[in-house]
Amino acid sequence: MTTLREILDGRRSGVYRVTGKSSPVVVAPTASIAIPGVRHKTSLMAAFATAADLPDWFGRNWDSLEECLLDLPAPRRGGAVVELSEPALLARHDPDAWRTLLALLEDVAAAWQTRGGLFVVLVRGEAPGVRDLPIVAPD
């Protein structure tokens, strides 16, 4: 397990799992996206648009979300931290959207890493695929 501090200091972009036993404190994340009531792609896109303050041209589709996340302002040492919480309802009602979102976030993190940036997603809650993510240990 790796701590959030080690991830940030080591500039290791990626999508990570936060469990009840590992609750890293994130000071001023770029976006905190709670999706407990989100059941479908449409409401997921709205949640991202609001929480991440995406631009007016955001088209509320996968390609547009990816482009916006790649262009997020990175105020903290050139990095962006996104907290994504409570994905279970989305995963149950729109499993394709949940799988696509996870893959998209991993692709965005890889792209930020390649260009020397930092993009970290912390997933809080259970849903298919979350258990496969690396765990963030408490600092």
Side-chain angles (χ1 to χ4, degrees):
M1 277 192 278
T2 304
T3 67
L4 181 59
R5 177 63 31 222
E6 290 169 335
I7 291 167
L8 297 176
D9 289 347
R11 305 193 58 75
R12 292 183 286 207
S13 293
V15 180
Y16 299 88
R17 168 169 65 124
V18 177
T19 67
K21 296 175 186 156
S22 61
S23 297
V25 175
V26 179
V27 178
T30 302
S32 183
I33 303 166
I35 58 171
V38 171
R39 294 174 185 243
H40 302 286
K41 177 183 168 187
T42 303
S43 51
L44 175 67
M45 294 295 166
F48 264 95
T50 301
D53 195 25
L54 299 182
D56 292 338
W57 56 262
F58 172 52
R60 289 175 165 59
N61 60 59
W62 296 119
D63 289 337
S64 185
L65 179 60
E66 183 174 28
E67 187 174 339
C68 288
L69 293 177
L70 288 170
D71 292 338
L72 274 178
R76 292 188 14 217
R77 296 188 311 127
V81 177
V82 175
E83 289 185 299
L84 182 64
S85 62
E86 303 182 50
L89 198 60
L90 174 65
R92 186 168 45 251
H93 288 275
D94 194 345
D96 289 339
W98 171 244
R99 283 190 298 273
T100 301
L101 177 63
L102 266 185
L104 181 143
L105 293 171
E106 289 172 342
D107 289 348
V108 168
W112 275 69
Q113 186 74 44
T114 297
R115 64 185 195 201
L118 178 66
F119 183 84
V120 174
V121 179
L122 302 174
V123 180
R124 297 176 187 270
E126 292 300 321
V130 172
R131 288 193 181 268
D132 298 331
L133 300 173
I135 298 173
V136 176
D139 284 333

